[in-house]
Structures are given as C-alpha cells and as structure tokens.
Amino acid sequence: MAESFAFEIAAKVLKKLGSATYERISLAWDVREEFEKLKLTLAAIKSVVLDAEQQQARNHEISHWLHKVKDACYETEDLKDEFEIQALRRQVLEQGSILACRFRMGNKIKKANEMLNEITANKAKFPLTQKHETNVSHRERETYSFVKTSSVIGRDEAKQHIELHKVLQDCLNGKRFFMVLDDVWNEDKKKWTQWSRIIVTTRSRKVATITGTIPPYDLEHLSYDNCLSLFLKLAFKEGEEKQDDNLVRIGEGIVQKCKGVALAMKTLGSLLCSTRVQHDWELVRDSELWKLKQEENDILPALKLSYDHLPWYLKQCFAFCSVFPKDLEFNDIFLISLWKANGFLQSPYENEEPEDIGKRYIQELLSRSLFHQVEDMPFHSSFKMHDLVHDLAFSVVQNEVNSCNHYSTGNVQYLLFDLSKQDASQLPNNLRRLQSLLLLDGEGKADSESLIAKVISRSKHLRVLHLSGCSFKHLPNNIRYLKQLRYLNLACNGNTKRLPNSICNLQKNLLEGIRNLTAIRELYIDECNNLISLPQGLKYLTTLQTLAISDCEKLDLTNGELDLERKEDGSLRKLAIGGVPKLESLPQWILLGSTKTLQHLFISNLENVLTLPAWFQHITSLQILYIRNCLKLSSPPEGMQDLAALKILRIEGCPKLNKKCIEETGEVWSKVAHVPDFYCEAMKTSTTDDE
C-alpha cells in the first residue's frame, strides 16, 4: 500500500513541467531540449503506473520499482523548485555567473533524465499496460448536526443488555454529572482510580480490564441485514434503491465482504453514493484488495477501496494527515496552510484562491466519511480522523511519514516529532527528502536549538517548519539555507528574545545583496512572551502572504518603524495581530506595503488601542475585518464607508464600539451599513452601556 500514489505525484510534476512558466524557464536557461526529454520520459512511466499500483500487492519487484518512481518524481520536483529560484536570481547575476549557473543546472537536468531512463528500461521487465485514471463524481448529501433515532441501525440487542436509559436516569438522580469516555486507549491503571461512575468504550482488551469493575460487554459486529440497511441508507437517497436492482445486488456483495464492520459500511456507502455507474460499483466489489489477509477487526482493505477511489488531488492531502497523532483535532486554517506549503492544492480553475481549494478538499473528505467535523465556528472549523481511518492514511505513506505514533526508516518526507514523548536519538536517519517538520516540545525537555540546527543541516528541501513549544533562545543561523521554506510557525516559544534577520533573508547568502528573493509565504509568531522586537529584515519578505502576531506581551512594534517602511509592492493577503499590550496604535509598516493586496484583517486583544488609523481607507482590497476584545476602541477607522470590497465585518467584545454600531440608531451606523455580512454584539444586546 505504501506506493499507492506514485501516479498522483507523477501527474502533479508533469502538470507543472508543462506550464507556461517552465516553458519560459527552460528557454532562459537553454535547457528546453532536456526539459522535453524529461516530460516525455515521465509521461511514459506515468502511463503504466496505475497498472503497477494494482499489481504491487502480488509482486514485490513492482512495489520496489514504484518506490524508485516516486523517488525520481520527488527529485524532479526539487529540481523544478531550484529552477524557479535560479530564474529569480538570474535577474541580478552577472554574465559570468549566469554561464556557470546554466552549466550547473544543465548537468542536474541531464542526471535527472538518466535516472528516469533507467526506470523506463526497468519497467520492461513487468507485464504493465497503460491505464487512465477514472474519477468518481461528487454529489452532495444532506447533513444535520443531531442524531435521528431512525438513523441508528442495529444494536437493539446491545441496548437491551445495557438497559441504558433507565440506568442513566437512576444514576443521575441527585448527582452532578455522568461521564462516557469513547474509544479509550490509556493503559495506565493509576489514572483510572479517581473516578466513580464511568462508561468506557475501547478496542483494547487491556484497557477494558484495567478500567472495568464489572465484566466488559463485547459489542458484536452488525448482522448482515443491519449492515445492508446501513449501506443502502448511505449509498442511496431515500427510496432510490428500489429503482436499481442491479446496484443493490452488487451492494449486497460488497456488504458481505465488509464482515459486519459499521465503519467500512459507512465509508464505502459514502463513496458509492456519488456514482450510479455499475462498473464503479463492480470495481469495489471485485477488487483484489479483499483477498489480502485480514486479522480480526482489520478493515483496512475495505477502507483502502475508498482511498483508491479518491480523485488524485485528494490522495496526498488525505495521506499527509497521518503525520498527526491519533485523536488530534486539527482546524481547517492550519491544515490548509500545510497542504498549500507542500504544493498539494490543485485547481482546474485559473483564479481559485488556495483557501477555497482547501475548503473544498475538506468538504470532499467529510462527504466520504474520512474526516468528521468536531466544531464549526464563523472563521474556522475543526476535524478529526477515526483511528482506523488514520491507520489507512499511514498505511499508504508508511515509509514517508514519521509521527509520535510511528517510526520509519524510509525516506521520511513529513515528520512530527514530540520531544516530550520521544528522545532526540530517535530521529530518523534519512532526512534528505524531508519537506515538513513539526517539532513539539511542550515540556521543554530538550536543547531545541541544537536539534533544529541538526535537522536543518540534513534537510535542505524543507517547505514547512513548525516549532511549537520549543525552548530555544535563538533560531539557528543555518535556517538561511532553507531556500524552499514556505511556512514558518514559531508558536509558544517563551525563551525567544529576538528573531534573526536570516529568517527574512533565506536566500541572502546565496548572493550578497539579494535580500528579497525568498519563498516564504506564511509566518506565525504566537505566544513568544519574551520576544521584544521583530527582525529589521521583515521588509524584504516580498512574497509573504500571511502574517500572524499574537500574545507577545513584551513585543514593541514601534521600534525601528522607519527602518521597516517600504513601498507598496507587498503581497500580504492575511494579517492577524493581537495580544500585544504595548501597542497603542497600529503602525502602517505592519502592512508591509500591501495596501492593494490585503484581503483579511483580524485585530484582537489590543487593550490599549483607542482608534484605528486613517490609512485603513487605503486598503481597497479588504474583504474580511474582524475586531475582537479591544475594550478601549471607540470608533471604526475614518473612511471605512469607502471600503467597497468589504464583505464581512465582525465586532465582538468591544463595548464602546458595539454601542455606536447599533443598527439604524448607532452613531457610526452609516459607516458600516454598506457591509453585506455585518455582525456586532450590540445588535443582540443593545442595552449594554459600558461607557
């Protein structure tokens, strides 16, 4: 299963190599002929990869060949990124340097062609035929936030054994609460002695023995009739199954192979609800994955069918989520940022925003029951993966992902390493392919600075660097070598006092004097309580699209303001600032020259800000403005009525401003009345008077 998305990787690389951008780059560096060879060879390999993926379970040599295909695609993708960077440098290189660089890059692309030619020669050993991907179309299903009794299928006998409603009623009478813990894995007996009345569900017999004071009740698999009822309910709209006996008959065969496991039924039913093509249903029923040896309660082959039927652009996004620990809640903003930085977001529409693409991907994974929603908030939502679905995600990338639950010796690409649970000596040896590093150290157990420096020295292709809770005083200077870094998150680093200019000049040392050629797109500085200043080089981040600064109580944003000023050539699209008590007014430099590009602005917990500056009226592209918990703020910015692009305005926890924004009667209502989606707490509690 580990080599199951070689096709998608090859498709993504081919798409980029065929773009107009790379046509121009190949001409500029005089390597067009080599580029064409690369594309033709990769296309020939890609044409048989789907067949190879289907045969790999029976042929170890094919699986090994697919592994080489993926490695070659990653090599090509890294080479592609390097060409992009060199194309930017070319604008300022002298003629001699251009010739030397052209020679070096030409040699690299020739080596890539030699590698692909060897892979092409080896594929002749296998009986592979050309196959084309077929995608299952998507159809929306009705959803609701509560559970209808009629939607619960089976378990009547189990309900009788527990007589649950009566027991709950008796136990709750005169008591404060009753607790149910679902899907528990904690095997530490000491942690279970403090509770009095708990119902626990678990898939671990050991957990049941430790926690139980009475014999456990073993929940049997659903009966065939209940399984079929559940499957049909998910695969068809109500009553629709009566119109297609052929599909129902195929569905009966699928249900038999699911062996009574409800999650398998739910996942496959959700998958097949989007197609009425008989061949698609037959592919699921007749798949050879069912023939894989299954241990008790093992439903990975059934779930793998759902993965195989994902559109190619979703497979990597889904598999990437295995890097997170089991049972972790992750929000859409965080997840989409990681997907974007790794280059996973693909769209058939020319001008679709990455955030919109990511949200669409999440909805598709929700509709297939591969994600389930935990919370839905105005500006973000949170999700989880069922443990068995997480196992599926890990199974398809087990040589490329390393998380706190798994250890891998392969070419790790995505690494989550928790220093509170793992010793630094357990770091994988091979980090040459590492693209995403999520380093956690909530307990401050390690020398994070030296560890980060060590990983960076072995990982030159990092796109994502997420450092949460690490206790470093200084970021390592070798961060400047991360030419492809797109996402940097410095969350909860309480010891950090200053950030080096090297984070703003990631390519400066490639050629002295070039300080604005950087790949970084997103920078998050959160809960750095000892941080006193931002790096002066911040103005050189000309490609920065998202900047978030929050809960930095010692940070002085007025220091060096003049040095940080820059012309209006910025690319910032999202700005969030809050929890900076020293701030009394928002300085204009914080926009980084992005008055024409900024679309989302979030202001929160600025306790000493009295007014918003007049330069707000020049942010002509602003679409979303969120102002929260600014107690002294008494009026919106001047000229706000002229922000024609503003679509959403939210004002919460700002009592003085709330009162003035009351609909029709508020003192400044005329300045905000033009916003289509406007919410203010005063609209609900108009009698509040906090003057």
Side-chain angles (χ1 to χ4, degrees):
M1 292 185 185
E3 315 306 332
S4 61
F5 51 82
F7 178 87
E8 288 74 37
I9 300 166
K12 182 177 71 171
V13 174
L14 269 175
K15 182 179 179 181
K16 291 189 176 181
L17 289 176
S19 68
T21 300
Y22 285 93
E23 177 71 15
R24 291 193 298 270
I25 290 174
S26 65
L27 287 172
W29 290 102
D30 196 23
V31 291
R32 184 178 183 183
E33 185 177 344
E34 292 294 332
F35 253 94
E36 288 301 318
K37 289 180 183 177
L38 199 68
K39 287 191 291 185
L40 288 172
T41 309
L42 190 55
I45 294 171
K46 171 178 168 283
S47 68
V48 298
V49 163
L50 284 177
D51 189 29
E53 288 178 345
Q54 292 175 8
Q55 294 191 41
Q56 66 173 318
R58 306 187 307 273
N59 189 320
H60 179 72
E61 285 186 288
I62 291 180
S63 179
H64 182 65
W65 181 79
L66 279 172
H67 183 79
K68 287 188 173 182
V69 170
K70 282 204 303 182
D71 272 355
C73 288
Y74 289 134
E75 291 271 6
T76 306
E77 187 172 33
D78 290 337
L79 180 62
K80 165 190 69 64
D81 285 348
E82 189 170 351
F83 264 100
E84 279 187 9
I85 294 168
Q86 298 298 348
L88 290 172
R89 290 186 62 202
R90 195 176 193 275
Q91 301 169 18
V92 293
L93 285 173
E94 296 179 357
Q95 188 62 33
S97 299
I98 290 176
L99 292 174
C101 194
R102 178 185 294 169
F103 180 77
R104 185 172 66 253
M105 298 305 293
N107 278 341
K108 287 189 175 184
I109 198 170
K110 284 180 181 177
K111 288 182 180 179
N113 269 318
E114 290 171 1
M115 175 178 56
L116 287 174
N117 286 335
E118 182 181 349
I119 291 172
T120 302
N122 288 335
K123 78 179 173 69
K125 301 177 183 178
F126 312 118
L128 300 176
T129 59
Q130 294 187 12
K131 290 190 176 183
H132 301 285
E133 184 190 36
T134 56
N135 286 338
V136 178
S137 60
H138 174 64
R139 187 179 68 183
E140 294 292 336
R141 292 185 60 86
E142 181 183 1
T143 60
Y144 39 85
S145 59
F146 55 90
V147 178
K148 296 179 179 177
T149 304
S150 61
S151 298
V152 181
I153 295 174
R155 306 304 187 201
D156 293 328
E157 184 179 351
K159 286 187 287 187
Q160 290 300 318
H161 277 282
I162 301 176
E163 298 170 347
L164 182 57
H165 290 289
K166 179 69 166 60
V167 173
L168 277 173
Q169 193 174 39
D170 292 342
C171 288
L172 286 173
N173 187 26
K175 303 291 194 308
R176 290 179 64 86
F177 68 88
F178 190 86
M179 183 178 291
V180 176
L181 302 180
D182 182 42
D183 201 16
V184 174
W185 288 92
N186 194 307
E187 298 179 349
D188 186 349
K189 188 172 184 178
K190 296 190 296 295
K191 294 184 178 180
W192 293 106
T193 58
Q194 56 184 309
W195 303 101
S196 54
R197 295 290 186 270
I198 305 175
I199 289 180
V200 172
T201 71
T202 180
R203 284 182 280 127
S204 166
R205 175 70 62 177
K206 184 176 181 180
V207 170
T209 302
I210 290 173
T211 61
T213 57
I214 59 174
Y217 179 80
D218 290 322
L219 201 61
E220 299 294 332
H221 288 163
L222 288 175
S223 68
Y224 172 80
D225 288 340
N226 282 328
C227 281
L228 182 60
S229 179
L230 175 60
F231 176 83
L232 294 179
K233 189 177 186 68
L234 292 165
F236 294 98
K237 289 185 176 179
E238 188 173 354
E240 192 181 47
E241 71 276 10
K242 298 175 183 177
Q243 304 170 18
D244 202 325
D245 293 340
N246 286 336
L247 290 186
V248 171
R249 194 158 38 250
I250 298 169
E252 290 170 351
I254 294 171
V255 168
Q256 287 180 339
K257 293 185 175 183
C258 284
K259 298 183 178 180
V261 180
L263 180 61
M265 234 76 60
K266 182 179 180 182
T267 305
L268 293 179
S270 298
L271 163 71
L272 292 173
C273 79
S274 60
T275 178
R276 292 295 170 261
V277 179
Q278 183 170 321
H279 179 64
D280 292 339
W281 286 53
E282 290 172 340
L283 282 176
V284 173
R285 183 196 62 193
D286 301 333
S287 171
E288 294 190 0
L289 285 170
W290 296 106
K291 299 178 183 178
L292 293 176
K293 182 181 178 181
Q294 295 190 63
E295 303 297 334
E296 185 180 2
N297 294 327
D298 183 5
I299 63 168
L300 278 182
L303 296 179
K304 179 63 165 52
L305 290 171
S306 185
Y307 169 83
D308 285 341
H309 282 74
L310 287 175
W312 70 269
Y313 53 83
L314 279 182
K315 286 184 177 177
Q316 261 190 311
C317 290
F318 167 70
F320 173 83
C321 295
S322 64
V323 76
F324 302 129
K326 284 187 175 181
D327 211 37
L328 177 76
E329 290 185 22
F330 44 87
N331 70 59
D332 53 354
I333 297 174
F334 175 61
L335 183 59
I336 292 170
S337 291
L338 298 183
W339 283 347
K340 180 169 62 173
N342 280 289
F344 295 161
L345 302 181
Q346 308 288 324
S347 175
Y349 312 112
E350 185 175 350
N351 296 318
E352 189 173 13
E353 295 290 342
E355 290 75 15
D356 294 332
I357 301 171
K359 288 178 181 177
R360 177 158 51 81
Y361 285 10
I362 287 174
Q363 288 303 315
E364 291 190 54
L365 292 170
L366 279 169
S367 74
R368 290 167 167 83
S369 300
L370 296 175
F371 283 179
H372 70 267
Q373 190 161 332
V374 177
E375 189 175 26
D376 188 13
M377 301 294 286
F379 291 106
H380 70 86
S381 300
S382 58
F383 309 90
K384 291 176 70 172
M385 298 171 72
H386 190 283
D387 284 356
L388 294 175
V389 175
H390 187 281
D391 289 343
L392 164 66
F394 180 72
S395 74
V396 298
V397 286
Q398 56 188 328
N399 289 323
E400 298 171 357
V401 168
N402 183 284
S403 75
C404 61
N405 294 325
H406 304 289
Y407 184 76
S408 171
T409 57
N411 290 325
V412 177
Q413 281 196 288
Y414 316 116
L415 169 63
L416 184 147
F417 203 82
D418 191 340
L419 287 164
S420 66
K421 300 177 181 177
Q422 297 166 283
D423 188 80
S425 62
Q426 292 181 290
L427 272 172
N429 293 322
N430 191 349
L431 297 178
R432 187 171 62 92
R433 289 262 166 262
L434 189 64
Q435 293 188 0
S436 292
L437 171 63
L438 291 85
L439 188 65
L440 314 179
D441 188 16
E443 299 178 10
K445 288 185 174 180
D447 181 359
S448 302
E449 187 175 341
S450 61
L451 179 63
I452 296 167
K454 179 181 178 182
V455 173
I456 289 175
S457 68
R458 295 159 55 191
S459 313
K460 299 299 174 60
H461 301 294
L462 275 176
R463 273 83 163 168
V464 169
L465 186 55
H466 183 97
L467 307 173
S468 179
C470 298
S471 301
F472 56 84
K473 291 185 178 179
H474 307 284
L475 269 175
N477 283 327
N478 64 347
I479 194 174
R480 65 182 181 269
Y481 297 123
L482 300 180
K483 299 180 292 184
Q484 299 168 20
L485 189 66
R486 297 164 187 168
Y487 172 101
L488 177 60
N489 193 316
L490 306 172
C492 308
N493 288 291
N495 290 335
T496 306
K497 292 186 177 181
R498 286 184 174 85
L499 302 178
N501 275 320
S502 57
I503 73 167
C504 305
N505 303 307
L506 296 181
Q507 299 181 42
K508 177 181 177 181
N509 291 322
L510 298 178
L511 186 67
E512 190 62 29
I514 300 178
R515 296 193 279 182
N516 62 340
L517 303 184
T518 174
I520 197 164
R521 302 290 192 273
E522 302 190 32
L523 175 60
Y524 298 86
I525 303 171
D526 179 33
E527 291 190 44
C528 297
N529 293 324
N530 282 312
L531 185 67
I532 58 177
S533 64
L534 296 179
Q536 293 291 313
L538 202 63
K539 61 183 176 182
Y540 297 116
L541 297 181
T542 56
T543 57
L544 190 66
Q545 296 177 357
T546 299
L547 174 62
I549 303 171
S550 62
D551 298 325
C552 300
E553 60 184 30
K554 295 182 180 179
L555 183 61
D556 187 352
L557 292 179
T558 60
N559 266 349
E561 180 175 336
L562 294 177
D563 293 334
L564 285 166
E565 292 288 1
R566 110 177 168 197
K567 297 178 181 178
E568 293 194 5
D569 59 352
S571 56
L572 205 62
R573 295 176 60 253
K574 288 186 177 181
L575 173 62
I577 183 166
V580 185
K582 288 192 174 185
L583 199 62
E584 296 181 359
S585 177
L586 288 180
Q588 187 167 359
W589 69 259
I590 200 69
L591 295 179
L592 298 177
S594 302
T595 54
K596 296 179 181 178
T597 61
L598 192 69
Q599 296 179 8
H600 301 171
L601 178 57
F602 300 87
I603 301 170
S604 63
N605 301 306
L606 296 180
E607 58 193 62
N608 291 312
V609 170
L610 301 175
T611 59
L612 296 176
W615 50 256
F616 259 75
Q617 63 188 304
H618 303 303
I619 313 176
T620 53
S621 57
L622 191 64
Q623 297 178 11
I624 296 176
L625 176 59
Y626 184 25
I627 305 173
R628 183 172 180 265
N629 295 343
C630 297
L631 300 180
K632 296 181 180 179
L633 186 62
S634 59
S635 62
E638 290 296 324
M640 188 168 182
Q641 64 273 14
D642 298 324
L643 297 180
L646 193 60
K647 299 176 182 176
I648 299 175
L649 174 60
R650 293 280 192 277
I651 302 174
E652 299 176 6
C654 306
K656 295 184 177 182
L657 182 57
N658 288 346
K659 185 177 180 181
K660 293 183 178 181
C661 290
I662 296 174
E663 187 172 356
E664 301 296 344
T665 62
E667 183 180 330
V668 297
W669 167 249
S670 60
K671 292 185 177 183
V672 298
H674 68 291
V675 182
D677 186 351
F678 172 61
Y679 170 81
C680 178
E681 281 183 333
M683 297 170 67
K684 294 175 63 177
T685 58
S686 58
T687 58
T688 301
D689 188 353
D690 291 299
E691 285 287 297

